[in-house]
Amino acid sequence: MRALALKQPGEAAIEVVPEPVRRPVKLVLKVQRVGLCGSDLNSFLGKNPLVTFPRIPGHKAAASFREVIHMLEQKRFPVADYLTEVVPLEAAAEMLRRWSDRTREFPKIIVRVD
């Protein structure tokens, strides 16, 4: 499968990584969206002391939240208040670079991986 990988501070690329392995008493979710937040940006910039490289960011994963999807379909969720940009996985590395240059313009980014 493909993933956005932080290679070193300021460098990100799409890589092929192994599929997750199912284990007893564990779930494997098909991720559809991943949110990039401030800690991901600080990791990309090399400013997060808890992060080592290489690293796959995006700890805000969305699999299948039917109620949220239902709210979106009914236009009951204020999307514009929560999302600045939605990009495909192929554009995620470039989006991180753009975001690092102009953080105030892109505070909320979602990466589509489906």
Side-chain angles (χ1 to χ4, degrees):
M1 64 186 220
R2 297 172 307 137
L4 172 66
L6 304 180
K7 309 295 282 173
Q8 60 186 4
E11 182 184 339
I14 306 303
E15 291 189 347
V16 175
V17 297
E19 292 279 340
V21 177
R22 286 189 176 181
R23 297 191 175 128
V25 196
K26 298 278 184 176
L27 292 175
V28 176
L29 299 175
K30 180 179 179 182
V31 175
Q32 298 173 337
R33 306 279 189 275
V34 175
L36 297 178
C37 66
S39 62
D40 296 316
L41 178 59
N42 283 328
S43 298
F44 173 73
L45 295 173
K47 295 181 178 180
N48 186 339
L50 303 175
V51 169
T52 56
F53 294 91
R55 168 78 57 169
I56 296 175
H59 54 273
K60 293 171 175 46
S64 181
F65 300 113
R66 294 186 194 283
E67 287 303 312
V68 172
I69 292 168
H70 188 63
M71 287 176 63
L72 288 168
E73 289 171 343
Q74 293 181 342
K75 304 203 186 302
R76 294 188 298 134
F77 189 84
V79 175
D81 294 343
Y82 292 95
L83 299 178
T84 305
E85 190 86 25
V86 178
V87 298
L89 180 60
E90 294 77 16
E94 176 58 28
M95 190 69 215
L96 267 175
R97 283 187 283 280
R98 288 177 50 210
W99 186 21
S100 70
D101 291 337
R102 300 186 312 261
T103 56
R104 293 177 192 243
E105 291 180 35
F106 305 103
K108 303 165 185 109
I109 298 169
I110 299 293
V111 178
R112 288 192 332 261
V113 293
D114 59 348

